[in-house]
Amino acid sequence: DSIRLEVTRYRPEGDSGPEVQEYDVPLRKEWTVLDGLNHVKDEVDTTLAFRWSCRMGICGSCGMNVDGEPKLTCATFLSDYAPGPVRVEPLANFPIVRDLVVDLYDFMEKLPRVKPWIIRDDDLTVIDGEYLQTPEELDAYKQFSMCINCMLCYAACPVYGLDPEFIGPAAIALAERYDLDSRDRGARERLDVLIEHEGVWGCTFVGECTRVCPKHVDPAGAIQRYKLKAAKENVMAFLLPRGAR
Ligand code: FES
């Protein structure tokens, strides 16, 4: 048995825009979409360009649109699309570098704005050189630390598609990951960034980011919590005299 892949091809040095090329690959129960692409690369057409590394849903590099849905191709089985064909396209909302490879520079530029690292304070208890946490303190942020920067949420986000200035779901979810960490004291600085024009207020709560996340991080939930936090601050600022805030 075989299944047909309809794969986007794009050569930046060529005269034409993206085109579709068809490849028939073996349909095996245990084969993923990434296995199908690797079969093409190894046996049929060595010029096909795509990214991958770990093949186990950890590195986040193999994200592509599969039949219009952002997916980790190493965790998406060909048999789920039988009898086919299956469309394999680069992630939406990013410039294409070549074939299925997209340019992630925009995210790399935005991510540092939310300071995705622990901002310490000297009053934290240090025991033997370590900042200790209880299991409960770990649980508070653990799910948000599962983000693998695969960019599926950006590809699914209609707001980012319309307004590339929007800081985007993964950056906001990573901000919350550090805000929820008991060792961190950077929440104020992050909130100041996220309530700016291109921050959380850009989100119209479509929720696609949370739906497509392969690691069950919840960027949409993080965005709503930040909005609530900012709104509470505004209300307090309105109600309380300056000296009492
Ligand atoms: Fe690493 Fe798919 S190849 S997540």
Side-chain angles (χ1 to χ4, degrees), residues 34 52-55 57-62 72 74:
L34 181 63
W52 64 280
S53 180
C54 70
R55 291 178 67 184
I58 299 291
C59 73
S61 65
C62 70
L72 290 182
C74 73

Short mmCIF file of all heavy atoms in Angstrom, two decimals, residues 34 52-55 57-62 72 74, ligand 1:
data_model
loop_
_atom_site.label_atom_id
_atom_site.label_comp_id
_atom_site.label_asym_id
_atom_site.label_seq_id
_atom_site.Cartn_x
_atom_site.Cartn_y
_atom_site.Cartn_z
N LEU A 34 6.77 12.42 8.96
CA LEU A 34 8.22 12.66 8.85
C LEU A 34 8.92 11.45 8.22
O LEU A 34 9.82 11.61 7.40
CB LEU A 34 8.81 12.97 10.22
CG LEU A 34 10.31 13.26 10.24
CD1 LEU A 34 10.66 14.51 9.42
CD2 LEU A 34 10.82 13.43 11.66
N TRP A 52 14.18 18.52 10.92
CA TRP A 52 13.82 17.56 11.96
C TRP A 52 15.08 17.23 12.74
O TRP A 52 16.18 17.50 12.29
CB TRP A 52 13.20 16.28 11.39
CG TRP A 52 14.13 15.48 10.51
CD1 TRP A 52 14.43 15.73 9.20
CD2 TRP A 52 14.88 14.33 10.89
NE1 TRP A 52 15.31 14.80 8.74
CE2 TRP A 52 15.61 13.92 9.76
CE3 TRP A 52 15.00 13.59 12.07
CZ2 TRP A 52 16.46 12.82 9.78
CZ3 TRP A 52 15.84 12.48 12.08
CH2 TRP A 52 16.56 12.11 10.94
N SER A 53 14.91 16.64 13.91
CA SER A 53 16.09 16.23 14.67
C SER A 53 15.80 15.00 15.52
O SER A 53 16.33 13.94 15.28
CB SER A 53 16.59 17.39 15.53
OG SER A 53 17.72 17.00 16.25
N CYS A 54 14.92 15.13 16.53
CA CYS A 54 14.85 14.07 17.55
C CYS A 54 13.94 12.90 17.18
O CYS A 54 14.13 11.80 17.64
CB CYS A 54 14.35 14.67 18.86
SG CYS A 54 12.61 15.16 18.84
N ARG A 55 12.95 13.12 16.34
CA ARG A 55 11.94 12.12 15.97
C ARG A 55 11.13 11.61 17.16
O ARG A 55 10.60 10.51 17.12
CB ARG A 55 12.58 10.91 15.26
CG ARG A 55 13.12 11.26 13.90
CD ARG A 55 13.78 10.10 13.25
NE ARG A 55 12.81 9.06 12.91
CZ ARG A 55 13.15 7.90 12.39
NH1 ARG A 55 14.42 7.62 12.15
NH2 ARG A 55 12.24 7.01 12.10
N GLY A 57 9.22 14.02 19.34
CA GLY A 57 8.37 15.08 19.90
C GLY A 57 9.01 15.92 20.98
O GLY A 57 8.32 16.46 21.84
N ILE A 58 10.32 16.07 20.93
CA ILE A 58 11.03 16.80 21.98
C ILE A 58 11.69 18.08 21.45
O ILE A 58 11.65 19.11 22.11
CB ILE A 58 12.15 15.90 22.60
CG1 ILE A 58 11.56 14.65 23.23
CG2 ILE A 58 12.97 16.69 23.61
CD1 ILE A 58 10.74 14.88 24.47
N CYS A 59 12.29 18.00 20.27
CA CYS A 59 13.10 19.15 19.83
C CYS A 59 12.27 20.28 19.25
O CYS A 59 12.69 21.43 19.24
CB CYS A 59 14.15 18.70 18.82
SG CYS A 59 13.49 18.30 17.18
N GLY A 60 11.09 19.98 18.73
CA GLY A 60 10.20 21.02 18.21
C GLY A 60 10.56 21.51 16.82
O GLY A 60 10.03 22.51 16.38
N SER A 61 11.43 20.81 16.11
CA SER A 61 11.88 21.34 14.82
C SER A 61 11.09 20.85 13.62
O SER A 61 11.26 21.38 12.53
CB SER A 61 13.37 21.01 14.61
OG SER A 61 13.55 19.62 14.50
N CYS A 62 10.23 19.84 13.77
CA CYS A 62 9.62 19.21 12.60
C CYS A 62 8.20 19.70 12.35
O CYS A 62 7.43 19.02 11.66
CB CYS A 62 9.63 17.70 12.76
SG CYS A 62 8.48 17.14 14.05
N LEU A 72 3.35 18.35 14.69
CA LEU A 72 4.71 17.80 14.72
C LEU A 72 4.68 16.59 13.80
O LEU A 72 3.98 15.61 14.06
CB LEU A 72 5.09 17.36 16.14
CG LEU A 72 5.30 18.43 17.19
CD1 LEU A 72 5.72 17.80 18.51
CD2 LEU A 72 6.33 19.46 16.74
N CYS A 74 6.76 14.31 13.26
CA CYS A 74 7.30 13.06 13.82
C CYS A 74 6.30 12.37 14.74
O CYS A 74 6.52 11.24 15.17
CB CYS A 74 8.61 13.30 14.56
SG CYS A 74 8.42 14.14 16.14
FE1 FES B 1 11.93 16.65 17.16
FE2 FES B 1 9.71 16.15 15.76
S1 FES B 1 11.75 15.79 15.16
S2 FES B 1 9.89 17.18 17.66
#
